[in-house]
């Protein structure tokens, strides 16, 4: 088990290294940040000074080397634009995105699992069919359009919910959180719903497919033959068997929500990481882009690890192999 | 009073292609402590008969006619909750494939204790105690440890023993065993048969043993019922039926068993195939494959008591004196 964890950690480092290299070269290839950052009126000397200050006068491989050495010391560089450490910039924005992603994932599970279960148990009922039809909408409606519609209906016409920003926040452990205040929660509902819609559909379909498959299995019939009540058969025997795909997908979806909730954050003017990365890409703020993507990679690795560990709890047949290579 | 009394049972499946008469006018009875072997080819309706008895026929199938009296109580049309209380308690069932009947993600103790607690209010401790005793009874070594295992940590034979132990937990009055030894290799099969025979004798449990293996029936059963295309075609004392079958189908089945026949002589096959249950031929369903069919076989043959205690559904039964095979 320990060996397994060490191996996973080592793999994580390799992936992050590869990631940083790709992003470094990629951003270098897109354009010269100097053109964007330094005012066109600046004279030659000023320009040279600025370029040297940013470390952009060195050849690429040297720039990368400097970055690596500093990264090993925990310094992922300073933002070209804000002149603060990139990591600090990202961590400031992280709580906003994190609470939104958690909210959306919780919604997906709380709404998706029961609906999927119902649709799986009664596939031919009107309710079951409606749920499936609804999930197709959830899949296919573009999230920017749904976001705008939500604002139109609930903010503009009904006036029930605020349409932009995070609302009142509370500071805990040095970060600001919205979900602890009434106002903040009201601000969260629409963006979280917007993000959750796709996930709900996904969970519904996975759960339904799992339930329909499990209901045909001999162990379900045997459980019935043992005289168990229907609810025991469904909530213990069937449920535990369908959780594996749901956990996998929910885990990965959680990761991609944190990383790529750009559209929703833009529409609801939610000051999260998604907006930060888009702004940074616009001005080619390379340290922020690199740091952000490395963090995302790290996060995905952690999520995958947690998902794998969850498997061992859910399915006794899964054993994490700890053989050395 | 007989433990089980089945009269004119018809279980039909209403499908788009038509009505599948999986069980069509089946009658039999089992006295206390007796073993009835229900024999037939795949698709002859044996398993559906078994499931009909415990009310677990999956839609679109349902019992359309007939009566099943268990200790004098009518099971057909019994409310689901009453039926559930009988299942696994007074009537237990063992399935064919031990690899599939236990839930792979639940520990053995969970699966046994829930069976105990489904039918009485014993505490977990008492239930665990009883589960352990049941495992010991079917010959599982160190039952305390094995209770903590998962199904995948058992071999097929061991899993079937666990399934049998589960069936025995409430000392049922009737056990329906649906080819429980078919998936096991011969030595294990022998052990389990001996085990079951001993248990039935000591506890006074009646057994309905569903199988296609005539040698198993010969060693185990008191009576035999031979099924063909959803009907019982011959019924009687196991020794008499196997020694001198009256129905041409029974005779054909016996003729195709390798061990009964002399070396070097090709096995006798029954020509043709089992008819589709969707479109059964008129009259005797075995007519097309029968070596002595005639005009009179176009009439539906009734179940006749051809000899004392020997029932046969054939208008031209073989003479009991004619040696077979």
């Amino acid at each position: 088990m320990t060996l397994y964890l060490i191996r996973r950690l080592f793999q994580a480092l390799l992936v992050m290294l590869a990631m940083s290299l790709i992003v470094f070269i990629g951003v270098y290839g897109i354009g010269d940040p100097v053109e964007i950052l330094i005012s066109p009126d600046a004279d030659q000397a000023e320009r040279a000074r600025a370029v040297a200050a940013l470390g952009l006068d060195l050849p690429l491989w040297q720039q990368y080397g400097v970055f690596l050495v500093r990264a090993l010391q925990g310094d992922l560089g300073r933002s070209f634009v804000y002149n603060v450490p990139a990591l600090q910039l990202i961590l400031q924005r992280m709580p906003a995105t994190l609470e939104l992603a958690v909210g959306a994932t919780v919604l997906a599970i709380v709404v998706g699992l029961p609906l999927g279960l119902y649709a799986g148990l009664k596939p031919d009922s009107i309710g079951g069919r409606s749920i499936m039809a609804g999930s197709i909408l959830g899949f296919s409606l573009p999230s920017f359009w749904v976001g705008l519609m939500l604002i139109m209906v609930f903010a503009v016409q009904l006036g029930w919910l605020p349409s932009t920003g995070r609302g009142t926040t509370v500071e805990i452990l040095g970060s600001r959180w919205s979900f602890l205040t009434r106002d903040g929660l009201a601000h969260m509902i629409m963006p979280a719903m917007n993000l959750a819609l796709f996930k709900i559909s996904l969970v519904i379909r996975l759960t339904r497919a799992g339930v329909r498959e499990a209901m045909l299995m001999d162990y379900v019939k045997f459980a019935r033959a043992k005289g168990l009540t229907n609810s025991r058969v469904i909530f213990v025997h069937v449920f535990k068997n369908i959780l594996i795909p749901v956990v996998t997908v929910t885990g990965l979806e959680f990761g991609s929500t944190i990383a790529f909730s750009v559209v929703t954050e833009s529409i609801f003017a939610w000051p999260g990481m998604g907006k930060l990365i888009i702004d940074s890409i616009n001005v080619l703020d390379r340290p922020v882009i690199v740091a952000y993507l490395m963090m995302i990679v790290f996060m995905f690795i952690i999520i995958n690890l947690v998902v794998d560990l969850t498997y061992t709890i859910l399915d006794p047949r899964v054993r994490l192999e700890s053989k050395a290579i | 009073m007989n433990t089980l009394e089945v009269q004119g049972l018809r279980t039909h499946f209403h499908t788009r292609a038509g009505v599948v008469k999986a069980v069509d006018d089946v009658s039999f009875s089992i006295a206390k402590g007796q073993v009835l072997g229900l024999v037939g080819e795949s698709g002859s309706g044996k398993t559906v008969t078994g499931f009909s008895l415990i009310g677990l026929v999956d839609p679109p199938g349902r019992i359309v006619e007939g009566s099943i009296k268990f200790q004098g109580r009518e099971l057909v049309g019994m409310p689901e909750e009453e039926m559930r209380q009988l299942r696994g308690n007074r009537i237990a069932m063992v399935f064919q494939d031990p690899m599939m009947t236990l839930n792979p993600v639940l520990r053995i103790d969970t699966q046994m204790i829930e069976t105990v607690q489904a039918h009485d209010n014993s505490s977990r401790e008492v239930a665990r105690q009883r589960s352990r005793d049941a495992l010991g009874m079917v010959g599982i070594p160190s039952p305390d440890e094995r209770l903590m295992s998962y199904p995948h940590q058992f071999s097929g034979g061991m899993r079937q023993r666990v399934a049998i132990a589960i069936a025995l937990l409430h000392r049922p009055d009737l056990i329906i065993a649906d080819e429980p030894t078919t998936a096991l290799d011969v030595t294990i099969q022998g052990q389990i048969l001996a085990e079951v025979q001993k248990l039935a004798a000591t506890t006074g449990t009646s057994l309905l043993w569903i199988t296609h293996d005539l040698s198993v029936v010969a060693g185990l059963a008191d009576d035999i019922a031979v099924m063909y295309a959803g009907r019982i075609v011959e019924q009687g004392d196991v020794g008499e039926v196997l020694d001198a079958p009256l129905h041409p189908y029974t005779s054909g089945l016996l003729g195709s068993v390798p061990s009964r026949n002399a070396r070097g002589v090709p096995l006798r096959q029954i020509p043709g195939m089992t008819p589709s249950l969707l479109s059964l031929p008129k009259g005797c369903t075995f007519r097309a494959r029968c070596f002595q069919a005639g005009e009179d076989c176009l009439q539906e043959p009734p179940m006749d008591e051809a000899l004392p205690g020997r029932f046969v559904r054939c208008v031209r039964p073989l003479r009991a004196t004619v040696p077979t095979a």
Side-chain angles (χ1 to χ4, degrees):
Chain A
M1 184 68 192
T2 330
L3 201 64
Y4 173 81
L5 284 178
I6 293 172
R7 261 182 63 200
R8 286 293 288 257
L9 225 62
F10 185 69
Q11 285 170 357
L13 283 178
L14 278 184
V15 175
M16 283 168 73
L17 191 72
M19 183 72 193
S20 66
L21 188 62
I22 294 169
V23 176
F24 228 82
I25 297 173
V27 177
Y28 186 83
I30 295 174
D32 187 0
V34 178
E35 302 296 334
I36 300 170
L37 289 170
I38 299 170
S39 99
D41 319 332
D43 60 28
Q44 206 56 39
E46 253 179 87
R47 240 184 114 87
R49 210 170 336 110
V51 167
L54 294 176
L56 294 173
D57 50 343
L58 302 171
L60 183 65
W61 65 270
Q62 264 185 18
Q63 289 183 33
Y64 185 64
V66 170
F67 164 79
L68 269 192
V69 171
R70 290 210 182 130
L72 286 177
Q73 295 158 356
D75 175 11
L76 290 177
R78 297 175 82 85
S79 160
F80 292 161
V81 179
Y82 303 99
N83 197 27
V84 291
L87 203 58
Q88 187 194 325
L89 202 59
I90 294 166
L91 290 180
Q92 267 175 10
R93 302 289 198 96
M94 196 144 92
T97 299
L98 212 56
E99 64 182 359
L100 204 56
V102 170
T105 307
V106 168
L107 262 178
I109 294 170
V110 170
V111 179
L113 268 185
L115 289 182
L117 200 61
Y118 181 85
L121 291 174
K122 298 196 154 84
D124 295 322
S125 67
I126 294 177
R129 283 168 193 271
S130 321
I131 290 168
M132 290 320 283
S135 80
I136 293 175
L137 284 185
F139 261 125
S140 32
L141 294 179
S143 80
F144 71 89
W145 184 82
V146 175
L148 291 175
M149 286 301 123
L150 283 174
I151 291 179
M152 282 267 289
V153 175
F154 293 102
V156 178
Q157 289 184 343
L158 296 173
W160 290 352
L161 295 168
S163 64
T164 56
R166 290 182 76 185
T168 322
T169 55
V170 186
E171 185 163 326
I172 293 171
L173 300 172
S175 352
R176 308 207 66 90
W177 301 91
S178 292
F179 73 100
L180 291 168
T181 66
R182 244 186 103 80
D183 182 49
L185 215 53
H187 279 81
M188 245 180 85
I189 292 176
M190 277 204 293
M193 197 60 216
N194 189 204
L195 278 177
L197 196 62
F198 179 82
K199 286 178 232 306
I200 292 174
S201 312
L202 206 60
V203 172
I204 285 178
R205 297 192 89 90
L206 277 174
T207 310
R208 175 182 182 266
V211 169
R212 292 204 64 183
E213 197 184 314
M215 288 308 282
L216 299 176
M217 302 299 280
D218 265 5
Y219 60 76
V220 168
K221 205 151 196 186
F222 188 63
R224 289 239 154 91
K226 293 196 298 189
L228 303 185
T229 55
N230 233 341
S231 56
R232 170 103 196 162
V233 173
I234 290 165
F235 290 108
V236 177
H237 284 260
V238 172
F239 211 64
K240 220 183 156 196
N241 272 285
I242 60 168
L243 277 184
I244 285 189
V246 175
V247 166
T248 314
V249 171
T250 310
L252 291 179
E253 274 296 307
F254 178 67
S256 55
T257 312
I258 293 179
F260 312 113
S261 53
V262 183
V263 173
T264 300
E265 285 185 5
S266 307
I267 289 176
F268 293 95
W270 190 266
M273 297 194 298
K275 255 184 87 47
L276 175 70
I277 186 69
I278 284 295
D279 294 345
S280 301
I281 290 173
N282 276 334
V283 295
L284 295 176
D285 194 348
R286 193 176 66 197
V288 178
I289 303 174
V290 174
Y292 177 83
L293 288 173
M294 281 180 71
M295 247 194 50
I296 295 298
V297 168
F298 183 68
M299 188 188 68
F300 264 102
I301 289 166
I302 294 294
I303 289 175
N304 278 338
L305 187 63
V306 171
V307 167
D308 281 358
L309 293 179
T310 315
Y311 284 171
T312 60
I313 299 170
L314 289 178
D315 191 338
R317 288 164 298 184
V318 176
R319 287 282 164 263
L320 301 176
E321 46 101 35
S322 52
K323 281 177 294 182
I325 318 163
Chain B
M1 182 175 57
N2 284 329
T3 301
L4 186 71
E5 196 87 55
V6 179
Q7 267 305 323
L9 178 69
R10 288 178 204 268
T11 304
H12 293 178
F13 288 75
H14 297 265
T15 65
R16 262 180 214 180
V19 179
V20 178
K21 298 176 178 172
V23 177
D24 204 20
D25 193 14
V26 161
S27 308
F28 58 85
S29 61
I30 309 177
K32 190 171 159 54
Q34 294 285 294
V35 181
L36 172 68
L38 186 59
V39 183
E41 291 169 74
S42 309
S44 59
K46 311 181 300 261
T47 300
V48 177
T49 306
F51 282 129
S52 301
L53 298 183
I54 54 169
L56 283 183
V57 180
D58 285 325
R62 62 189 179 88
I63 298 174
V64 291
E65 217 185 304
S67 128
I68 301 167
K69 280 216 166 72
F70 172 71
Q71 296 181 325
R73 290 170 74 188
E74 178 60 56
L75 300 189
V76 176
M78 184 183 256
E80 171 57 25
E81 177 55 23
E82 268 178 67
M83 193 71 215
R84 181 191 72 72
Q85 286 168 8
L86 281 182
R87 257 185 237 137
N89 186 4
R90 306 321 323 145
I91 308 176
M93 187 154 178
V94 181
F95 288 27
Q96 173 169 5
D97 187 353
M99 307 308 268
M100 307 294 292
T101 46
L102 298 173
N103 193 322
V105 301
L106 298 175
R107 276 206 316 249
I108 300 297
D109 64 344
T110 315
Q111 304 196 40
M112 294 189 84
I113 289 170
E114 68 179 4
T115 314
V116 175
Q117 291 185 328
H119 301 294
D120 53 41
N121 307 322
S122 28
S123 66
R124 273 193 82 81
E125 306 323 308
V126 175
R128 173 176 295 273
Q129 183 69 31
R130 271 172 64 186
S131 308
R132 209 193 56 187
D133 294 346
L135 285 187
M137 201 152 61
V138 294
I140 288 184
S142 51
D144 269 317
E145 275 168 48
R146 299 312 256 163
L147 270 180
M148 304 305 285
S149 311
Y150 285 96
H152 71 277
Q153 293 162 319
F154 288 79
S155 67
M158 281 295 173
R159 286 192 215 187
Q160 196 61 295
R161 281 166 196 264
V162 173
I164 292 172
I166 290 176
L168 292 173
L169 277 173
H170 291 276
R171 301 191 163 273
D173 301 307
L174 172 68
I175 297 179
I176 301 162
D178 184 8
E179 309 205 32
T181 56
T182 308
L184 306 176
D185 59 62
V186 186
T187 48
I188 308 291
Q189 187 175 329
Q191 289 173 15
I192 286 190
L193 283 178
E195 214 87 61
V196 167
Q197 211 162 16
K198 202 173 77 197
L199 289 167
T202 52
T203 58
T205 301
S206 308
L207 270 175
L208 175 63
W209 197 276
I210 300 171
T211 182
H212 57 244
D213 189 337
L214 287 168
S215 58
V216 168
V217 174
L220 181 75
D222 302 298
D223 292 318
I224 184 172
V226 181
M227 259 185 112
Y228 183 76
R231 292 176 175 185
I232 290 180
V233 294
E234 180 161 10
Q235 202 167 355
D237 176 83
V238 69
E240 290 178 27
V241 171
L242 293 184
D243 280 344
L246 296 176
H247 198 284
Y249 176 64
T250 317
S251 156
L253 270 188
L254 286 168
S256 54
V257 176
S259 54
R260 282 181 57 95
N261 302 286
R263 262 171 184 281
V265 183
L267 287 176
R268 202 149 52 78
Q269 277 186 23
I270 305 176
M273 302 218 319
T274 335
S276 157
L277 291 172
L278 269 173
S279 53
L280 287 174
K282 254 185 63 159
C284 175
T285 47
F286 188 59
R287 177 168 40 97
R289 306 171 72 186
C290 185
F291 60 90
Q292 57 168 7
E295 282 292 306
D296 41 354
C297 294
L298 284 166
Q299 299 298 318
E300 185 105 358
M303 196 68 160
D304 269 339
E305 188 164 9
L307 293 169
R310 298 283 306 273
F311 296 86
V312 66
R313 196 188 278 275
C314 181
V315 289
R316 299 177 160 200
L318 304 169
R319 297 271 214 80
T321 48
V322 175
T324 50

